Amino acid sequence: VIRIAQGISHCTTLKELTVLSDDHFESLSSTAAEALSRSLSNCTNLEALVLDMAMEEDGPVLEIAEGLKHCLNLQALDLSGAGMSQEALVSLGEKLNGCTRLDRLDLSRNQRLDVSAARRFGAWLGGLKRLKTLELDQLLGSEEAALVARSCMKGGCTRVEELVLNSRPGRWDPGDPTHVVEVAAWAGVCPRLRALSFNHHPIQTEAFLNQIRSCGTLRELSLQACSLTQASRFALARMLAALTHLTHLNLSHNLILGPGMAVVIGALGYCSGLVRVDLRRTGMEDEGATAMGQVLGKLPALRLLVLKGCGIGSSGGDMIARVLPGCSRLEELRIRWNVMGPNMEQKLLRAAGSQISVDLEEGALGEPEFTSEEE
């Protein structure tokens, strides 16, 4: 890093810099960060910085921020996975207060912000009126996300097109149900929003789903593990029926049982442009799978369908097998960890032919061994 810093110290016309580490267990030292900071302060035309290195102490982060504050043309900043503390994240925002041209910001997978830090951090984000892509994966709980949303609406940060506000997986934080509604309200006033990922937040009110209905420009929506249940089925169906431009949908790990999933899946027919649909572990059972079979003919663009661990039996599997030959664009069906039995699995494989890859590997009927992605 020090040699890189020396190399760019006189590159005053440098516009993009990416530093990738091949050792994610090695942290950026203060000495290296100081050298890089000095060089960055000379690169006043810098527009994009990707720094893929751990910074487990606040010192290197503040050094980098000190250099970046001179880069007033900065448009893209990626410091994801750097291990920054919440104090460092807040200080970063305060030092980059003059970089108002930022339109892409990724600070995902750093230390989770508490309420106080989120309030100060949100005040900075609210001033980024050109922001188009904001990724804060695993950075905010529901209350903290609401504070950021409130600041962004107040500050006029409404040009956002891609928004990632996932909470940390496995962290149950019910809180006040109105918190998630504030996030939906922010999404609703972003007229160009095309991608929203809000995984692992407990959505305990239909008001959130009702607000998202107004986001007619959405192409990608992910609400994984959001505690959606039978009670949400009609609001969820109405939301999907309104989002007719969706191409990617993830509702996995929400326990909406058979009859409820049948209602939700029926609404997918309004989203004829869907390319990827993930409904794993939704408890759809045969009733939901039958509804899926009935709606597949209305999804001519579908390429990937994930129905892992949904409790699908032989009758649900039979319905899907019957319509598979007509799914001309479908490339992959992931349907392991169900209870269809070997005969129905073979029928699915025959119906898929060579065109569709069917995920029915050994152990399909047993307990799943999770990959890191599925955890």
Side-chain angles (χ1 to χ4, degrees):
V1 173
I2 292 173
R3 286 199 296 270
I4 290 171
Q6 292 168 345
I8 67 170
S9 60
H10 301 292
C11 298
T12 55
T13 59
L14 184 70
K15 291 192 174 183
E16 297 183 20
L17 175 63
T18 299
V19 183
L20 303 177
S21 170
D22 59 358
D23 185 356
H24 290 279
F25 295 99
E26 183 178 359
S27 300
L28 185 67
S29 69
S30 296
T31 303
E34 185 179 351
L36 187 57
S37 176
R38 284 197 301 269
S39 295
L40 287 175
S41 64
N42 295 326
C43 300
T44 53
N45 290 305
L46 190 70
E47 295 178 357
L49 173 65
V50 177
L51 188 56
D52 183 18
M53 296 192 72
M55 291 182 280
E56 295 178 356
E57 297 179 358
D58 290 353
V61 181
L62 300 180
E63 287 288 354
I64 297 295
E66 191 66 31
L68 282 176
K69 74 179 184 181
H70 301 283
C71 304
L72 301 182
N73 292 316
L74 192 66
Q75 297 174 26
L77 177 62
D78 184 346
L79 296 177
S80 58
M84 290 186 283
S85 70
Q86 59 179 346
E87 291 80 9
L89 285 163
V90 171
S91 296
L92 176 72
E94 291 172 347
K95 287 183 179 291
L96 299 186
N97 202 40
C99 300
T100 56
R101 296 189 179 186
L102 269 173
D103 64 15
R104 285 171 289 161
L105 180 63
D106 188 350
L107 297 174
S108 300
R109 301 183 307 283
N110 285 291
Q111 186 180 15
R112 187 178 187 266
L113 299 180
D114 61 21
V115 170
S116 175
R119 187 174 285 110
R120 295 162 63 196
F121 186 73
W124 169 52
L125 292 180
L128 300 178
K129 294 179 173 59
R130 298 189 182 191
L131 201 60
K132 293 181 179 178
T133 299
L134 177 61
E135 298 188 39
L136 303 178
D137 186 29
Q138 303 182 33
L139 211 65
L140 305 168
S142 298
E143 183 175 0
E144 293 77 21
L147 289 169
V148 167
R150 198 180 305 158
S151 295
C152 287
M153 282 192 289
K154 182 179 178 180
C157 179
T158 56
R159 294 187 184 181
V160 179
E161 298 178 9
E162 297 181 41
L163 186 57
V164 178
L165 295 175
N166 304 327
S167 186
R168 200 173 296 277
R171 185 183 180 93
W172 181 248
D173 181 20
D176 187 335
T178 61
H179 290 151
V180 297
V181 179
E182 291 199 59
V183 175
W186 178 29
V189 296
C190 295
R192 300 174 185 173
L193 187 66
R194 57 184 178 84
L196 173 63
S197 185
F198 197 60
N199 302 335
H200 306 288
H201 290 275
I203 298 175
Q204 300 171 305
T205 171
E206 292 185 6
F208 176 90
L209 302 173
N210 293 336
Q211 284 273 12
I212 297 299
R213 284 170 61 187
S214 64
C215 301
T217 57
L218 268 182
R219 300 292 191 274
E220 301 178 20
L221 177 62
S222 183
L223 300 176
Q224 176 182 315
C226 286
S227 67
L228 295 168
T229 63
Q230 288 285 95
S232 311
R233 63 191 185 279
F234 294 117
L236 194 52
R238 288 192 297 270
M239 180 195 73
L240 292 173
L243 301 179
T244 55
H245 297 294
L246 277 182
T247 59
H248 295 63
L249 176 65
N250 183 357
L251 295 177
S252 62
H253 295 269
N254 288 293
L255 193 59
I256 308 172
L257 300 179
M261 277 308 295
V263 172
V264 173
I265 290 170
L268 295 182
Y270 293 95
C271 309
S272 59
L274 279 169
V275 175
R276 299 169 64 96
V277 175
D278 190 344
L279 301 176
R280 80 184 74 189
R281 298 200 169 269
T282 50
M284 67 168 62
E285 302 175 326
D286 282 340
E287 195 166 347
T290 299
M292 192 77 243
Q294 293 169 345
V295 84
L296 275 176
K298 300 177 182 178
L299 304 176
L302 191 65
R303 294 185 180 181
L304 171 65
L305 177 61
V306 184
L307 302 175
K308 290 182 179 181
C310 288
I312 300 172
S314 57
S315 63
D318 183 65
M319 183 63 185
I320 292 175
R322 273 190 266 166
V323 300
L324 276 185
C327 299
S328 59
R329 299 286 295 277
L330 190 63
E331 297 174 356
E332 190 173 356
L333 173 63
R334 300 179 188 174
I335 198 169
R336 69 163 85 177
W337 306 331
N338 284 292
V339 289
M340 295 177 291
N343 292 336
M344 185 50 59
E345 290 175 0
Q346 290 302 314
K347 185 174 181 178
L348 270 172
L349 289 171
R350 288 193 299 271
S354 60
Q355 172 195 340
I356 304 171
S357 171
V358 181
D359 180 20
L360 279 173
E361 298 177 3
E362 182 180 354
L365 301 181
E367 284 298 311
E369 294 183 4
F370 288 118
T371 65
S372 59
E373 174 192 359
E374 287 156 350
E375 285 177 337

